Amino acid sequence: MILTKAQYDEIAQCLVSVPPTRQSLRKLKQRFPSQSQATLLSIFSQEYQKHIKRTHAKHHTSEAIESYYQRYLNGVGRNGAAPVLLDLANEVDYAPSLMARIILERFLQEHEETPPSKSVINSMLRDPSQIPDGVLANQVYQCIVNDCCYGPLVDCIKHAIGHEHEVLLRDLLLEKSLSFLDEDQLRAKGYDKTPDFILQVPVAVEGHIIHWIESKASFGDECSHHAYLHDQFWSYWNSSEEESLILWLKSPMFLKNLLEFCWIST
C-alpha cells in the first residue's frame, strides 16, 4: 500500500498534539489501522524530531537549565523514587533523554573538579550505572527507557534496523545474481562518501537505469529527501552523474517489493 501525500499530512497533523509516548503510538495505530506500525513509528519519530529542533534553544538557556535543575533537586528531595525527570520532560514538552542529558551535565559541573567531556556524558547515558549518584542514575535510566525518539537505546535500535535492511538488500542482490561493490569495498578503493551498493553492471527497473542503491530504514518524507540530497546524494551524482534507486522503509518487508520505492533522478 502506497501512502499518499494527503494521508501523510493527515497523520502528521494528528501528531501535533500527541505526546511522544508508547501509549500515543497505540492510539495512532487505532486511528490509522491500514498503516503499518513501522510506518507510523517512523513518521512519529521524524515529526517529533522536527518539533524538538524548533524548540531546542529555549531549553538550553542558562535560566531554563537552572530552573530544571532546581525542580529536579526539589522533586527527588520529596521522593527520590518518583519519575521526577520523566515527568518534568513531559511537562515542558522536551525529549526525556535530552532532559536527562541537561540535568546530568549540570550535576557533574557542580560535583566534579573539571567540566565533564562529551564522551564522559555519552558514556554515562549509555550506562547510567557509571553516574556517581544512585538517585540520578535511576532518574536518567527512566528517561532513557521511556524515550521512543531520542537517546542511546533509540540510537542502538535505529542502527540495528539499518544494518538489518542493508543485509536484506545484500541478500536480495545476491539472490538476483547482481554484481556489486559494498561500502567497505568502495572505501578500500578510496571513495569518501559512498552509497550502500554500486552495481558493477547497471540494471533497468521500470525504464530507469540503476547504477547505485541507497537503503534508508526510515520514512522518506520531503524533509528527509532534502536533507539526504544535501548531505549524501548530490555527492554521489557529482562523482558519477548516474541515476539511482533510493529505498525507504515502508514496512518490515519493503525490500521484497521493489514497487515501494521513491525515485530521485538528475
Side-chain angles (χ1 to χ4, degrees):
M1 176 181 177
I2 296 177
L3 188 70
T4 66
K5 179 66 164 58
Q7 289 173 317
Y8 175 86
D9 289 340
E10 183 182 3
I11 296 172
Q13 184 60 37
C14 177
L15 293 173
V16 171
S17 58
V18 173
T21 65
R22 291 176 175 81
Q23 291 76 18
S24 297
L25 285 172
R26 283 195 285 269
K27 293 178 181 178
L28 199 64
K29 179 61 178 174
Q30 292 172 357
R31 179 164 179 178
F32 301 98
S34 62
Q35 301 302 328
S36 72
Q37 184 77 7
T39 296
L40 292 174
L41 177 58
S42 191
I43 297 174
F44 183 94
S45 178
Q46 288 174 324
E47 290 299 312
Y48 184 67
Q49 287 175 36
K50 293 175 189 176
H51 166 71
I52 291 298
K53 289 176 181 177
R54 290 193 298 266
T55 60
H56 176 81
K58 75 175 186 179
H59 298 290
H60 284 262
T61 64
S62 57
E63 294 82 4
I65 292 172
E66 195 59 33
S67 172
Y68 296 158
Y69 187 58
Q70 292 305 318
R71 291 184 63 180
Y72 159 74
L73 292 177
N74 292 336
V76 296
R78 290 190 297 269
N79 183 358
V84 176
L85 270 189
L86 183 60
D87 289 345
L88 175 58
N90 290 333
E91 179 186 332
V92 301
D93 195 16
Y94 199 48
S97 292
L98 300 183
M99 178 61 73
R101 175 182 285 272
I102 288 176
I103 300 304
L104 174 59
E105 185 171 0
R106 176 65 179 81
F107 173 87
L108 294 175
Q109 288 173 351
E110 184 175 290
H111 292 83
E112 301 292 328
E113 294 181 357
T114 57
S117 67
K118 185 176 180 179
S119 61
V120 168
I121 293 174
N122 288 340
S123 179
M124 289 183 177
L125 289 172
R126 286 193 297 268
D127 180 10
S129 67
Q130 298 179 23
I131 298 174
D133 181 90
V135 173
L136 179 56
N138 182 53
Q139 294 286 327
V140 169
Y141 175 77
Q142 291 176 3
C143 287
I144 297 299
V145 299
N146 284 285
D147 195 328
C148 57
C149 296
Y150 282 93
L153 181 59
V154 172
D155 290 342
C156 183
I157 293 172
K158 287 181 178 179
H159 178 77
I161 292 174
H163 180 69
E164 175 189 5
H165 284 85
E166 287 181 16
V167 171
L168 289 172
L169 178 54
R170 174 190 292 275
D171 291 344
L172 185 60
L173 294 174
L174 291 173
E175 178 185 320
K176 300 298 182 181
S177 300
L178 298 176
S179 179
F180 59 84
L181 296 175
D182 61 23
E183 286 184 292
D184 291 337
Q185 293 170 314
L186 291 169
R187 289 194 181 97
K189 289 178 174 290
Y191 286 78
D192 180 17
K193 292 186 176 181
T194 65
D196 290 325
F197 300 95
I198 286 182
L199 302 180
Q200 293 184 298
V201 179
V203 298
V205 177
E206 295 191 349
H208 298 268
I209 304 301
I210 306 305
H211 294 260
W212 55 265
I213 303 174
E214 178 76 15
S215 172
K216 295 298 180 188
S218 61
F219 189 90
D221 65 356
E222 291 180 284
C223 183
S224 297
H225 279 302
H226 288 303
Y228 281 118
L229 274 169
H230 179 269
D231 295 338
Q232 288 182 275
F233 303 153
W234 286 135
S235 65
Y236 304 162
W237 274 302
N238 289 339
S239 62
S240 60
E241 295 297 330
E242 296 164 344
E243 206 158 25
S244 62
L245 177 62
I246 313 300
L247 288 167
W248 297 93
L249 177 61
K250 183 65 170 66
S251 70
M253 297 301 292
F254 83 113
L255 289 176
K256 293 299 183 181
N257 185 357
L258 287 181
L259 294 180
E260 292 188 15
F261 58 66
C262 181
W263 285 104
I264 301 179
S265 57
T266 54

